[in-house]
Amino acid sequence: MKKLKHKKLWLSSIIIILLVCVLFTGAGFYFFRVACVPGKKSFLSSSSDVIKKSDPLYREKIWFKKTAKQKWYIESADEKFKLDANFIPYKTSNKTAIVLPGYMDTKEDMGEYDALFHQLGYNTLTPDPRAQGKSEGKYIGYGWPEKDDVKKWVSYLLQKYGQNQQVVIYGLSMGAATAMMTSGLKLPHQVKAFVEDCGYTSVKDEIEHEAGVLYNMPAFPRFPLVEILSGINKLKVGYFMGNASSVNQLHKNHRPMLFIHGSRDNFVPTRMVYPNYKATRGPKEIWVAPGAKHAKSFSKHPKEYKRRVATFLAKYVK
């Protein structure tokens, strides 16, 4: 009788464990679709095509809208997808800024940043990341596979515009993480400096943070769910989220980098800028923009933003 009760207890425990595993796995696939499959995201504010004169970056956005763009294309680094980019030349400049958009943003959303670099005398090359805008792709890579695409864009630029180009890599949000991850690669000597604005420390850190903020999810079940999501990401996209680390890549970087972050950023929390800044091995500066929310440092402080970017880059790009 005792043996029978014991067996029933074990059977019940196994069934409960299996049910929990099924529930967590199902939740993992749901969150993978939310986080990594391109499409409309309810947690992102929709941007309007209407440019208001009250916008502090009105002139930059109007300039971009009216400016002719060249269309450039390459295959992704893994040769799976066709990637699409805008190129805007500045006279006969030998300086080019590669401008990297954020999560679910496109090259068309980066007009004010193209304008900023144009004002500083740079050509701009602004690609749609894989699976965003007009670039092909199945999944959002959060900067990890995209870093290799950026390196390929650099090579393509040098091939088309010559070896005397001086290249700056600028990124915003996910694009900033992409820029930091790219900095740890072996890059041509023509890459002179980086500017990152509100990038995260790692993909896993950012996903864990968003799970807490967007879903008010406590530590349990947040941590096991993110681990399951990371495993699904490994199967689908090719990497574990914890390995996609800006901090680890910055440890390999010896080029100059300017770090910018809004002091009121809750999407990529402001605290993340400090380990990123500490990690890099090259010349560096940091500016935490007072009162700025996520990706709003430029619109909050347009003159100061431009001054800081210009002053920093002038030291390394001639």
Side-chain angles (χ1 to χ4, degrees):
M1 197 71 177
K2 284 185 178 180
K3 284 185 178 180
L4 184 61
K5 285 184 178 179
H6 191 65
K7 283 182 179 180
K8 285 183 177 180
L9 183 61
W10 269 105
L11 185 59
S12 299
S13 301
I14 290 168
I15 290 170
I16 290 168
I17 291 168
L18 288 172
L19 284 172
V20 169
C21 289
V22 168
L23 285 171
F24 270 85
T25 302
F29 275 100
Y30 168 78
F31 284 114
F32 177 81
R33 287 195 299 274
V34 170
C36 304
V37 177
K40 189 174 181 180
K41 308 296 180 184
S42 60
F43 52 87
L44 296 178
S45 56
S46 56
S47 57
S48 171
D49 291 332
V50 179
I51 305 170
K52 298 179 181 178
K53 287 191 175 181
S54 57
D55 189 326
L57 300 174
Y58 175 81
R59 289 177 60 191
E60 285 81 1
K61 291 179 181 180
I62 289 294
W63 172 87
F64 176 77
K65 205 163 192 176
K66 293 180 177 179
T67 297
K69 295 100 179 166
Q70 297 177 16
K71 294 297 179 184
W72 285 17
Y73 307 95
I74 63 169
E75 277 192 332
S76 59
D78 54 13
E79 300 183 342
K80 291 181 178 179
F81 310 113
K82 183 180 179 182
L83 305 180
D84 183 291
N86 284 338
F87 183 81
I88 305 176
Y90 179 88
K91 300 177 183 177
T92 56
S93 178
N94 72 330
K95 303 186 296 184
T96 297
I98 297 179
V99 179
L100 306 177
Y103 178 82
M104 288 311 301
D105 285 337
T106 74
K107 57 187 180 299
E108 307 303 325
D109 296 313
M110 300 301 287
E112 58 266 43
Y113 299 93
D114 285 351
L116 165 65
F117 282 103
H118 197 268
Q119 290 164 9
L120 298 179
Y122 286 77
N123 313 306
T124 56
L125 171 58
T126 309
D128 281 333
R130 54 175 67 192
Q132 297 184 196
K134 293 186 177 179
S135 285
E136 295 175 350
K138 293 179 69 176
Y139 304 115
I140 300 161
Y142 285 88
W144 194 246
E146 290 86 351
K147 72 185 187 306
D148 300 304
D149 298 335
V150 174
K151 183 177 179 178
K152 194 167 182 179
W153 278 117
V154 172
S155 298
Y156 187 70
L157 168 71
L158 298 178
Q159 176 189 327
K160 280 184 72 81
Y161 259 61
Q163 299 298 309
N164 68 334
Q165 281 291 305
Q166 301 176 84
V167 181
V168 168
I169 298 176
Y170 170 91
L172 183 72
S173 189
M174 187 187 91
T178 307
M180 290 186 284
M181 291 170 185
T182 303
S183 76
L185 302 177
K186 186 176 181 181
L187 298 168
H189 67 85
Q190 289 91 345
V191 178
K192 301 299 182 183
F194 294 83
V195 179
E196 76 86 22
D197 183 343
C198 62
Y200 37 81
T201 46
S202 76
V203 177
K204 184 181 178 183
D205 290 345
E206 179 59 16
I207 294 294
E208 284 183 350
H209 170 75
E210 288 307 314
V213 170
L214 296 176
Y215 297 95
N216 295 314
M217 198 179 292
F220 186 86
R222 184 168 75 238
F223 293 149
L225 262 179
V226 172
E227 291 298 333
I228 291 168
L229 172 58
S230 180
I232 296 167
N233 196 72
K234 173 66 174 175
L235 291 173
K236 298 279 192 178
V237 191
Y239 71 92
F240 289 112
M241 289 178 164
N243 293 339
S245 169
S246 300
V247 170
N248 290 347
Q249 290 296 100
L250 286 165
H251 279 306
K252 307 174 199 173
N253 175 53
H254 294 273
R255 287 178 171 87
M257 186 170 294
L258 172 61
F259 295 82
I260 299 171
H261 219 106
S263 71
R264 294 180 60 199
D265 192 337
N266 294 320
F267 194 79
V268 177
T270 307
R271 58 180 166 76
M272 287 192 181
V273 73
Y274 300 107
N276 284 336
Y277 175 76
K278 184 179 179 182
T280 193
R281 303 299 173 86
K284 55 189 173 182
E285 292 180 19
I286 186 171
W287 177 45
V288 177
K293 295 181 180 180
H294 183 67
K296 298 298 183 185
S297 295
F298 189 20
S299 59
K300 183 76 173 176
H301 305 280
K303 290 181 180 178
E304 181 68 5
Y305 196 102
K306 181 179 177 181
R307 185 190 71 78
R308 286 184 180 264
V309 170
T311 301
F312 181 79
L313 293 181
K315 299 174 186 177
Y316 309 105
V317 184
K318 305 304 177 187

